[in-house]
Amino acid sequence: MTAPSPRTALPPLLLLVLLIAFPQLSETLYAPVLPHIATAFEVPDATAQLTMSIYFLAFALGVVAWGRMADSRGRRPAMLAGLACYLLGACVALMAPDFGVLLAARFLLAFGASAGSVVVQTVLRDRYQGTQLAGVFSIIGAALSLSPALGPPMGALLAQRFGHVGVFCFLVLTAVGLLVATHRWLAETRPGMGTPAAPALLSVARRAATDARLWVVACQVAGFNVILFGYYTLAPFTLQELGWPGWVFGLTGLAVALGSVLGAWINRRLLRHHAPAQLVRFAVLASVLASLLQVGWVVIADGDPTWVLGGLVLCQFVMMLAYGCAIPNLLATALLKYSDVRGTAAALFGLAYYLMIAAGLGLLSLFHDASVLYQPLGILVVALLVALTLLRLRSASHEAQGQR
């Protein structure tokens, strides 16, 4: 039997897992260093948090660029170019003389890292369909669950030992390692490599803009990611103001991430007997209840450090369990009708939900006082998820009427 062609062979799943998980790992690794950034560059805490918001804004723009390149030039060149951009951003961040340069470096980091999301999702959709695709996305979901578990403890240790410089050194080494591995092992999977033209961006955009279901799914993906990154953005300042040392945040990050690992495992088991849409509805309900409890717990604890810490971790654990259950199903089913324009459709889909994430985190950065920190977070999550539930019901009703 002849070996598969390097242009059509499926890239190693481990490499794909690393490529799709590293943007989230690098972001949660960065979260514990936010107080160090504020001190080192002499900026207020709320200003330091802008480095998180600008990350998602640049990420949203990056998914369009790399998604288009994945369709026009191929998946492999797009991934290599994205990693090169990420390496450049990490080097600039390491040598940044002031906060303005650091913001520019964060933009480059995010722009490059976004290739890991859009290109890997496109590669998986090239090779898998149906329930097989949902199963693979469950594996990917488990990896995305583990990366937040690893990021905060690693970031806290690096920050405590070396400050923000240690974190950026680690990002440089990560970029170099992924570039070498991608160049060595990532095979091209784009169908029709002899066709140079990518689908017209505007035509795909018009098609996606009128797809109500796609918009609902994008909002849901954004909502669950605001739950995830809202915690990693705000919790370092909350625990610092409550008097907890930095390593405690690393432990809480590990604890809440176990919820997403458990959610991914539950999702894989339940997919055998339940439709993905049912599991998403379960996750939405769990998130709403946990965020309501989070708001109430902060009020009842009345500033007691131990009770506030315990309540936040418990509620966040439940919301991360819902995240691990929902995200694989949302990503696996979002673009079923776009098999002819996978890269471009994934780019526009990613643009929509990353802009929503950036807006949500930008709003949260306005509320960094520990005494009220998680009340706006809980209210935002509740309002968002309730609205999304209503949108999904309305969309389902319209689809049912259209089938009659």
Side-chain angles (χ1 to χ4, degrees):
M1 181 181 294
T2 58
S5 165
R7 287 188 175 274
T8 59
L10 181 67
L13 186 57
L14 176 60
L15 175 59
L16 295 179
V17 167
L18 292 174
L19 289 173
I20 200 170
F22 94 88
Q24 189 164 283
L25 174 63
S26 66
E27 189 62 1
T28 54
L29 183 86
Y30 177 80
V33 85
L34 282 171
H36 295 262
I37 293 292
T39 301
F41 291 94
E42 299 180 345
V43 295
D45 291 349
T47 302
Q49 291 171 20
L50 288 176
T51 59
M52 296 286 276
S53 297
I54 199 171
Y55 187 93
F56 285 101
L57 175 61
F59 207 100
L61 298 176
V63 294
V64 175
W66 307 125
R68 291 289 292 166
M69 186 175 181
D71 271 352
S72 61
R73 299 294 182 88
R75 318 318 190 199
R76 176 183 163 87
M79 191 69 247
L80 288 171
L83 287 171
C85 180
Y86 181 84
L87 176 59
L88 176 61
C91 292
V92 173
L94 182 61
M95 299 180 291
D98 55 54
F99 189 72
V101 174
L102 179 63
L103 283 178
R106 289 282 291 167
F107 188 96
L108 286 173
L109 275 165
F111 194 85
S114 63
S117 174
V118 66
V119 175
V120 172
Q121 289 187 49
T122 303
V123 167
L124 292 173
R125 293 183 180 110
D126 285 342
R127 285 292 177 260
Y128 298 105
Q129 291 83 37
T131 56
Q132 192 179 26
L133 179 61
V136 172
F137 266 114
S138 289
I139 298 174
I140 296 296
L144 292 175
S145 302
L146 285 173
S147 55
L150 298 174
M154 291 171 59
L157 288 174
L158 288 170
Q160 186 174 10
R161 179 88 175 171
F162 305 106
H164 67 283
V165 173
V167 171
F168 292 133
C169 281
F170 182 85
L171 296 184
V172 169
L173 294 176
T174 299
V176 171
L178 288 174
L179 260 174
V180 172
T182 299
H183 184 270
R184 173 66 179 84
W185 288 299
L186 183 63
E188 183 57 64
T189 64
R190 182 170 77 93
M193 283 298 294
T195 305
L201 180 62
L202 287 180
S203 65
V204 180
R206 283 194 295 267
R207 180 175 163 187
T210 58
D211 188 343
R213 180 187 175 279
L214 187 63
W215 277 104
V216 172
V217 173
C219 289
Q220 288 179 320
V221 172
F224 281 108
N225 276 281
V226 169
I227 293 173
L228 170 66
F229 289 103
Y231 179 81
Y232 292 116
T233 300
L234 301 175
F237 296 100
T238 304
L239 300 187
Q240 184 183 59
E241 293 181 24
L242 289 171
W244 294 103
W247 60 267
V248 172
F249 169 69
L251 290 180
T252 66
L254 180 61
V256 300
L258 291 177
S260 57
V261 174
L262 179 60
W265 179 80
I266 291 173
N267 180 66
R268 290 203 67 188
R269 306 262 313 173
L270 293 181
L271 273 173
R272 302 172 186 173
H273 309 289
H274 299 277
Q278 291 178 301
L279 300 180
V280 171
R281 285 194 290 270
F282 159 77
V284 169
L285 178 61
S287 295
V288 169
L289 294 177
S291 57
L292 284 170
L293 179 61
Q294 190 178 66
V295 175
W297 194 296
V298 170
V299 174
I300 295 171
D302 195 27
D304 182 276
T306 303
W307 279 97
V308 171
L309 176 64
L312 294 181
V313 171
L314 176 62
C315 296
Q316 197 69 32
F317 179 89
V318 175
M319 286 190 277
M320 292 299 292
L321 186 149
Y323 172 95
C325 191
I327 289 297
N329 297 304
L330 291 170
L331 295 180
T333 60
L335 301 175
L336 295 178
K337 299 190 297 184
Y338 296 85
S339 59
D340 55 326
V341 287
R342 288 189 184 100
T344 301
L348 293 171
F349 177 59
L351 173 65
Y353 70 73
Y354 279 115
L355 284 176
M356 294 177 197
I357 294 171
L361 292 179
L363 177 61
L364 290 180
S365 70
L366 301 176
F367 302 93
H368 60 278
D369 180 7
S371 63
V372 295
L373 179 59
Y374 278 88
Q375 294 182 48
L377 174 59
I379 292 170
L380 174 65
V381 171
V382 171
L384 180 60
L385 292 178
V386 169
L388 296 180
T389 303
L390 294 176
L391 279 172
R392 177 171 281 279
L393 291 174
R394 182 179 179 183
S395 176
S397 175
H398 287 173
E399 289 176 1
Q401 291 176 4
Q403 292 173 355
R404 293 176 182 174

